[in-house]
Amino acid sequence: MTKIYNAEIIDCALKIKDSLVICDLHLGYETALNQNGILIPQFQYKKIINKLYKIREKTCANKIIINGDLKHSFQKIQKQENKEILGLLDYLDKYYDEIIIIKGNHDNLTQYITQERNIILKDYYIEDNYYITHGHQIPESIPENIKTIIIGHEHPSITLRNHERIEKIKIYLTGLWNNKNLIVQPTFKFLSYGQDMLQKRTLSPFLDDINYLDFNVYGVDDFNTFYFGTLNELLEFQQENKEI
């Protein structure tokens, strides 16, 4: 069991006391890809349900928090999105006493679906001394008693290279932001691992103007967690291998 700021890592979910936090499901992503000429089957929903089932087997929680980007399309509600979001909510309702959904930058239309299950999207959620927000914008204010902020949006991952072999892995990042702990959580979707943080590009404004390269890296793969040191240490290792 690996804990970061007293939150337990369970693959791409975080457990805080009796609550689970996941983010960036991007349901309907296959439809968006198909419309852009990338033809793939709709397989992500079943894998997400299967992952949630395995997480539920490993822990007991009575609340689940989806931290933004439940759906993918900005422009409209796709048939796939509507069907899968309602199906997911019905599945979660069987096993959790409470479902919290936080609005992400892809969720401008999500409310029209979730209101069918009487769920209103929130801009943020406070659980104990954790402030949970999607991460695409900085909140106007965060209570002083908050010790840890949890964000998604970044889709952090790393790419490890050893000569011709390349491995990509989803990661958590942890460090300090404005004297508070910051956890950057990996995406829960399956169609991509996310953004390679070793390329020194960021999406979330939380990572602007801070030295996020000093953040700690925790990789997750099939319910195993691996500590990789800091992003800086990984960059140095990568550079040393290039020079060999």
Side-chain angles (χ1 to χ4, degrees):
M1 179 179 69
T2 302
K3 286 193 173 185
I4 46 178
Y5 307 132
N6 292 319
E8 183 183 348
I9 294 177
I10 308 171
D11 202 77
C12 291
L14 274 178
K15 185 170 185 281
I16 305 169
K17 293 192 173 180
D18 294 325
S19 298
L20 287 178
V21 184
I22 62 175
C23 66
D24 295 293
L25 282 71
H26 288 267
L27 294 176
Y29 191 34
E30 298 97 322
T31 293
L33 290 176
N34 290 342
Q35 290 173 345
N36 286 307
I38 303 172
L39 303 180
I40 59 171
Q42 295 178 5
F43 69 92
Q44 205 178 206
Y45 176 76
K46 288 183 178 179
K47 292 180 77 70
I48 285 172
I49 294 293
N50 184 53
K51 176 79 79 174
L52 287 168
Y53 173 79
K54 290 180 179 178
I55 289 170
R56 188 171 56 81
E57 278 192 322
K58 294 178 180 294
T59 182
C60 87
N62 56 33
K63 182 191 301 180
I64 187 162
I65 302 162
I66 300 175
N67 191 12
D69 288 358
L70 177 57
K71 76 188 286 293
H72 182 74
S73 176
F74 290 103
Q75 291 85 7
K76 59 183 178 179
I77 297 173
Q78 304 282 1
K79 182 178 179 181
Q80 181 191 0
E81 293 174 330
N82 190 77
K83 177 182 177 181
E84 291 181 353
I85 289 173
L86 292 178
L88 175 69
L89 295 179
D90 289 343
Y91 172 82
L92 296 177
D93 188 55
K94 294 177 183 177
Y95 303 107
Y96 296 96
D97 297 333
E98 192 172 2
I99 302 168
I100 303 294
I101 303 177
I102 297 167
K103 187 175 182 179
N105 57 305
H106 281 256
D107 289 315
N108 53 320
L109 298 174
T110 303
Q111 184 68 75
Y112 296 105
I113 306 174
T114 62
Q115 67 185 9
E116 295 187 35
R117 298 298 184 264
N118 297 315
I119 297 175
I120 305 299
L121 270 61
K122 301 178 181 293
D123 292 326
Y124 65 90
Y125 188 75
I126 293 175
E127 179 78 7
D128 196 28
N129 55 19
Y130 297 86
Y131 187 98
I132 305 166
T133 186
H134 183 59
H136 60 296
Q137 55 191 13
I138 304 290
E140 290 184 6
S141 65
I142 297 174
E144 289 193 11
N145 67 309
I146 293 296
K147 293 182 179 179
T148 301
I149 301 167
I150 299 173
I151 66 169
H153 186 61
E154 190 69 37
H155 299 208
S157 70
I158 53 173
T159 301
L160 303 176
R161 294 175 173 84
N162 184 5
H163 302 292
E164 73 281 355
R165 184 164 183 166
I166 297 175
E167 298 286 349
K168 200 161 188 179
I169 186 168
K170 293 182 179 184
I171 62 169
Y172 288 83
L173 291 174
T174 65
L176 289 178
W177 180 85
N178 284 5
N179 297 317
K180 296 184 185 296
N181 303 321
L182 178 65
I183 299 174
V184 187
Q185 197 170 358
T187 173
F188 207 81
K189 72 177 182 179
F190 284 85
L191 273 163
S192 68
Y193 282 84
Q195 170 156 276
D196 186 356
M197 301 306 296
L198 297 175
Q199 298 299 316
K200 302 181 183 179
R201 293 191 297 267
T202 61
L203 295 173
S204 174
F206 275 92
L207 299 182
D208 291 345
D209 303 322
I210 64 170
N211 189 12
Y212 68 89
L213 293 177
D214 284 338
F215 276 32
N216 291 297
V217 177
Y218 296 86
V220 288
D221 180 61
D222 194 24
F223 292 93
N224 296 303
T225 304
F226 310 94
Y227 178 61
F228 285 100
T230 67
L231 281 172
N232 255 330
E233 289 169 338
L234 284 169
L235 284 167
E236 290 173 6
F237 176 78
Q238 191 178 70
Q239 188 60 39
E240 288 171 3
N241 278 349
K242 282 183 180 178
E243 293 173 355
I244 294 176

